[in-house]
Amino acid sequence: MGSPSKLKQHSALLSACSVATLWLASGATPSFAAEGSVGTLMEEVQVTARKRADAEILQEVPVAATAYSGDQLEALHTKDLQSLSFKMPNVQLEDVGTVKNTANFTVRGLGINSSIPSIDPTVGVFVDGMYLGVNAGVVTDLFDLEGIEVLRGPQGLLFGRNVTGGAVVIKTARPTNEFSSRFKLSTTDNLDTVAAGTINGAISDTVNGRLTVYYNDDRGWFENVYTGNDNAGASDSWFIRPSFSVQLSDTAELLVRMEHGRMDSDGVVAQNRGYESTYVQTREGMQFAPSAPLIAASVGIDDWDNGRDSFEVAQNEEGYQKDEWSQVITEFNKDVAFGDGTITNILAWREYEAKGLGDIDSLPVTLFHADSSVDQSQLSNELRYAGRFGRTALTTGVYWFSQDVTYLENRLLRFGAIDWTGGGEQDHRTYGVFAQADIDLNEAWVLTLGGRYSSEKKDAKIASIPLNTCTLSGCSSYDENGIDSQSWSAFTPKVGLQWTVSDDTQLYTFWTKGFRSGGYNFRNAGINPLTGMPYAPKATDQEEQSSFEIGAKVDWLDGRLRTNMAVFHNTIDDMQREENLPDAVTGVAQIIRNTADATIRGAELEAMAALSENLLFTFNVGYVDGDYDKVLGDLNGDGLVDGTDLGLEIPRLAPWTYGVGFIHDLQLGAYGTLTSRVNFNHRDEAPYTDDNRGMLSEVDMVDFSIGYTPDNGSYTVSLFGKNMLDEMAEGNNTQLPAVMGGVGASFTPLNKGRVMGVEFLYEL
């Protein structure tokens, strides 16, 4: 049970949302249209959340989601998914920081704190219908998109594949027969420069083509006071995306999207926030553990101001990260007379490779450096049918997914005295069959019935890091108990009811289940204190979730105000977590196991109001609260499973997120339009680690932009600023043993502070 104060907050918020829902529903009226950027952001967004034959308007779909069209993403100066992290309630879309370009996404308090590629994410990322099998290589730069949808809550029916937290659906722009082109050039005060372009049009009467290219040269933002490098964190990335569509007949079309890209960057930029020198007990006896500032002073750094109020770092190894990926996604659509429906087949292939070196101790000495590599290849196919039979809209299909993943990690510890390498490899197969029927009971009520059966199998080989049986080229042997094969399966049903009160008002409710298969730990580094040997590799059990939600979507006041709201109650059984515990021998012991049963509940509201035809107001607020119902393991590392563990906060559960924004179009007559935008967004402090010693800071984000567009709309020139309050935000906050920086020693990767820039966008 939660505390009385939390229960009062929760009840008050539920009551407020319920009253607001009925009040807004009573005032629904026809739609309102505006011009300029205000009109662009008020446009109805088309979404594919229900995988119907045709896209649907977001306001008509009974799903809690935030969606942006391609034009809206450009208006918000969206560079990557992380750019949207603070703009939605109860959503965090950030880079974990340990390895650049690796997702650490959390929705409604459900996420993973891991850069281990064998750990399935709770928030699935789908690109043009292709599920990304690992969280590495996900936070890539974005350009030339049709749109992005962020679906909150478990999507265990139509999307399947372990998405117990939610789904991020990315749709790249498709080829059309009308000629168009777009070019973008931007740079910032720290010389983070983007040059990108796309060209689109008909190649022949039946073939359309599109070519998109993107290049980003980021000269770095942070100061490394040890090396004297004022441009730490630099990166260089590019991708090329050719696509074409072929009209095979009047009823059949083939769409092929290809992409190849590379990223070459510095290693992790991180602080060690140790603050006090002390003596600590290790397996070898008492040892002096100097604090981070004392270590810095010992190597001649007198002015290093580490901590939450400074972006300075002092790392003797700036490291590197190199990513390369290739993918091909083919989509075949065939209209059929049966149910006036469409058969869709999406066959997708992707390969991803990454190598990197990071300074994990984040100090000017070599106490914990890690060199790693990821090699992943995946192939998937989804065949589905969507049509209508009288009052019933039916979506059904089968899904198959296969991937091979190899991960290797080298740890260089204690001034290089310890040099260990381990890792693992996995062969992974998934099958699924699903169906959803939306039945019109009458003109106002729709009943949803659906279910998905999923089966997963993983064959794994684990080499524990302290046994040192590998090199970065491969492993000579695996743990005695490290070769294993496990299978998991689940049926995830959904029952829902939608009430269309009027043309502009709908209420909905549903109950559904989510499923996340078990898995293996490729970073098996913990030392069992009873044996002095690594913990035996062991597969986790599957995680299951049950979710109940009530929501409302309303347009009212002649369409000038749009509101989406939802309240939810989730129960999670056998929650899978990565416990990060400091270890004096291996640096950090990352233990993957089923830690607890938990309950998470909350509410969220998004609103958009056209105060005039030239002024738009946006608002969002999210509240989430959770408690452990039962603890299955030792969360705080004290060797006991007791009430102390039960009383810990669930990681990544930031109680409040909220934001407000204004967009204004100043009409200059024949001279064009001047558009101004400012946004303020807040996220509460939240624990990062299961033991609650690592914390993510409370953050207030302020962004702005001022853009000029001539009357013919051919180009836009903008001045923009991000994180104008220069707020400190961490990718993670993992505790290190005191021998690596004293009491409070930590590995804390940093996000950029204040950034200002200019952008030129030309369209033809």
Side-chain angles (χ1 to χ4, degrees):
M1 293 291 292
S3 66
S5 62
K6 286 184 178 179
L7 291 175
K8 288 179 181 179
Q9 285 180 334
H10 181 55
S11 300
L13 191 61
L14 292 179
S15 300
C17 286
S18 300
V19 171
T21 299
L22 296 175
W23 175 51
L24 295 177
S26 65
T29 52
S31 298
F32 163 80
E35 302 294 333
S37 294
V38 170
T40 296
L41 292 172
M42 285 290 289
E43 287 177 352
E44 297 277 16
V45 180
Q46 301 282 326
V47 299
T48 58
R50 291 198 288 187
K51 294 189 176 181
R52 297 282 184 86
D54 298 312
E56 302 174 279
I57 296 174
L58 175 62
Q59 289 300 100
E60 298 177 355
V61 178
V63 174
T66 302
Y68 301 94
S69 68
D71 290 338
Q72 291 171 344
L73 292 169
E74 288 289 356
L76 295 172
H77 296 277
T78 305
K79 180 183 176 183
D80 52 29
L81 288 176
Q82 191 167 345
S83 302
L84 298 173
S85 187
F86 289 88
K87 291 181 171 62
M88 291 169 280
N90 296 329
V91 172
Q92 302 176 41
L93 303 178
E94 290 164 295
D95 193 316
V96 69
T98 308
V99 179
K100 189 176 176 65
N101 206 17
T102 299
N104 195 26
F105 296 170
T106 297
V107 175
R108 292 179 173 177
L110 285 176
I112 60 169
N113 295 341
S114 185
S115 57
I116 305 174
S118 57
I119 306 304
D120 290 322
T122 61
V123 180
V125 177
F126 299 80
V127 178
D128 295 325
M130 176 183 67
Y131 170 78
L132 301 186
V134 295
N135 59 345
V138 170
V139 194
T140 53
D141 291 348
L142 305 173
F143 177 69
D144 194 32
L145 299 185
E146 181 180 311
I148 291 178
E149 305 166 28
V150 179
L151 313 179
R152 297 188 290 273
Q155 307 297 320
L157 175 52
L158 296 177
F159 291 90
R161 268 271 58 223
N162 298 317
V163 286
T164 53
V168 178
V169 181
I170 301 171
K171 300 172 292 183
T172 63
R174 58 183 297 147
T176 62
N177 60 2
E178 183 178 350
F179 176 81
S180 64
S181 63
R182 172 180 288 190
F183 303 94
K184 180 168 77 172
L185 179 65
S186 70
T187 192
T188 68
D189 50 356
N190 64 296
L191 297 181
D192 183 352
T193 302
V194 171
T198 183
I199 187 169
N200 167 81
I203 298 175
S204 70
D205 291 341
T206 58
V207 180
N208 301 322
R210 193 179 195 99
L211 178 64
T212 302
V213 294
Y214 178 95
Y215 175 71
N216 176 215
D217 179 21
D218 184 350
R219 299 295 178 89
W221 191 89
F222 302 92
E223 179 184 1
N224 187 336
V225 297
Y226 178 72
T227 63
N229 181 8
D230 293 336
N231 301 107
S235 67
D236 184 272
S237 60
W238 60 267
F239 68 77
I240 180 170
R241 185 194 302 138
S243 60
F244 62 88
S245 63
V246 182
Q247 195 69 38
L248 301 175
S249 68
D250 291 341
T251 59
E253 180 193 47
L254 175 66
L255 178 61
V256 180
R257 296 177 171 103
M258 297 168 280
E259 183 172 304
H260 178 72
R262 296 185 65 178
M263 183 194 73
D264 188 350
S265 75
D266 290 348
V268 58
V269 178
Q271 289 179 342
N272 187 319
R273 293 177 176 170
Y275 58 86
E276 181 181 321
S277 60
T278 183
Y279 282 93
V280 296
Q281 178 69 45
T282 71
R283 291 174 62 222
E284 290 78 16
M286 295 296 291
Q287 290 191 4
F288 178 65
S291 67
L294 185 59
I295 291 176
S298 71
V299 293
I301 302 175
D302 299 321
D303 60 347
W304 178 31
D305 181 21
N306 76 312
R308 294 179 184 267
D309 298 325
S310 167
F311 289 94
E312 294 179 348
V313 300
Q315 296 173 283
N316 67 321
E317 175 57 78
E318 294 191 339
Y320 70 92
Q321 179 70 26
K322 297 180 184 293
D323 289 17
E324 184 170 2
W325 66 94
S326 299
Q327 62 193 44
V328 180
I329 305 169
T330 64
E331 178 180 334
F332 172 77
N333 292 288
K334 170 71 173 177
D335 294 335
V336 294
F338 180 68
D340 191 24
T342 300
I343 295 173
T344 299
N345 192 85
I346 299 176
L347 175 65
W349 164 85
R350 175 178 166 93
E351 279 192 351
Y352 170 79
E353 295 181 5
K355 297 182 184 298
L357 172 61
D359 187 339
I360 308 303
D361 61 69
S362 306
L363 294 169
V365 291
T366 303
L367 296 178
F368 183 0
H369 293 177
D371 205 333
S372 64
S373 68
V374 178
D375 191 350
Q376 183 248 3
S377 177
Q378 67 173 70
L379 182 66
S380 64
N381 193 86
E382 179 173 287
L383 174 64
R384 69 173 184 265
Y385 166 83
R388 175 170 282 275
F389 301 88
R391 294 186 174 185
T392 301
L394 177 67
T395 300
T396 185
V398 293
Y399 177 76
W400 171 76
F401 172 86
S402 171
Q403 74 170 343
D404 297 309
V405 182
T406 299
Y407 176 75
L408 295 165
E409 179 180 317
N410 169 260
R411 292 192 178 185
L412 196 63
L413 305 162
R414 299 195 181 191
F415 306 99
I418 296 177
D419 188 343
W420 289 333
T421 304
E425 57 182 279
Q426 178 175 276
D427 181 12
H428 180 189
R429 301 289 183 270
T430 296
Y431 305 90
V433 56
F434 58 90
Q436 176 172 308
D438 298 303
I439 306 166
D440 297 337
L441 302 179
N442 54 41
E443 291 184 356
W445 292 88
V446 178
L447 173 67
T448 296
L449 299 173
R452 183 187 189 104
Y453 176 78
S454 301
S455 176
E456 306 222 6
K457 182 180 180 181
K458 297 178 181 178
D459 300 317
K461 299 177 181 179
I462 309 296
S464 295
I465 289 176
L467 297 183
N468 197 32
T469 60
C470 306
T471 68
L472 288 174
S473 299
C475 297
S476 59
S477 64
Y478 297 92
D479 293 22
E480 181 179 353
N481 299 315
I483 300 177
D484 191 31
S485 178
Q486 294 283 345
S487 297
W488 303 270
S489 62
F491 176 68
T492 50
K494 181 176 183 178
V495 179
L497 196 61
Q498 180 183 11
W499 176 29
T500 302
V501 181
S502 69
D503 289 342
D504 300 307
T505 304
Q506 67 147 306
L507 307 178
Y508 68 88
T509 184
F510 64 80
W511 169 83
T512 189
K513 295 196 71 174
F515 156 75
R516 188 162 166 243
S517 69
Y520 297 90
N521 181 10
F522 282 177
R523 199 179 284 164
N524 195 49
I527 299 292
N528 188 332
L530 299 178
T531 65
M533 296 295 290
Y535 287 101
K538 182 181 179 182
T540 57
D541 293 329
Q542 64 192 43
E543 173 186 294
E544 295 187 357
Q545 178 183 353
S546 179
S547 178
F548 176 71
E549 182 172 319
I550 302 175
K553 296 186 176 184
V554 184
D555 284 351
W556 66 307
L557 287 180
D558 194 25
R560 293 176 182 271
L561 175 62
R562 178 176 302 149
T563 59
N564 293 342
M565 59 192 73
V567 294
F568 55 89
H569 185 279
N570 300 334
T571 57
I572 305 99
D573 295 328
D574 292 324
M575 178 182 283
Q576 291 179 32
R577 295 289 308 164
E578 175 185 317
E579 297 177 65
N580 293 296
L581 298 172
D583 186 280
V585 180
T586 64
V588 176
Q590 286 148 306
I591 303 171
I592 313 297
R593 60 185 170 192
N594 302 94
T595 60
D597 297 339
T599 298
I600 297 176
R601 57 250 163 192
E604 51 213 16
L605 166 67
E606 292 180 287
M608 184 179 295
L611 304 181
S612 72
E613 291 192 358
N614 297 320
L615 180 61
L616 181 68
F617 169 74
T618 62
F619 172 76
N620 75 81
V621 60
Y623 173 75
V624 63
D625 176 50
D627 300 285
Y628 291 123
D629 302 319
K630 178 182 178 182
V631 175
L632 308 175
D634 175 20
L635 299 182
N636 63 356
D638 64 358
L640 301 174
V641 180
D642 54 19
T644 303
D645 299 295
L646 190 64
L648 292 170
E649 297 290 334
I650 299 174
R652 304 294 296 281
L653 213 66
W656 288 98
T657 55
Y658 53 82
V660 295
F662 289 91
I663 299 94
H664 180 259
D665 289 330
L666 177 62
Q667 303 297 334
L668 304 175
Y671 294 101
T673 305
L674 189 68
T675 299
S676 304
R677 177 184 63 86
V678 61
N679 284 89
F680 168 82
N681 291 280
H682 169 88
R683 185 167 70 210
D684 276 356
E685 181 185 55
Y688 177 77
T689 54
D690 291 72
D691 62 11
N692 290 185
R693 295 173 188 168
M695 299 293 294
L696 298 177
S697 301
E698 175 183 291
V699 178
D700 292 320
M701 285 288 177
V702 174
D703 300 337
F704 84 93
S705 67
I706 302 174
Y708 168 75
T709 305
D711 191 46
N712 63 10
S714 60
Y715 68 87
T716 299
V717 179
S718 302
L719 170 69
F720 64 88
K722 300 181 179 182
N723 192 5
M724 295 305 295
L725 299 181
D726 211 25
E727 288 279 272
M728 173 76 71
E730 307 90 350
N732 75 66
N733 184 218
T734 300
Q735 304 306 288
L736 298 174
V739 293
M740 294 183 180
V743 175
S746 68
F747 168 62
T748 309
L750 305 180
N751 295 330
K752 289 181 179 179
R754 182 186 300 114
V755 172
M756 294 187 64
V758 293
E759 178 182 284
F760 176 77
L761 181 65
Y762 175 80
E763 295 186 76
L764 180 62

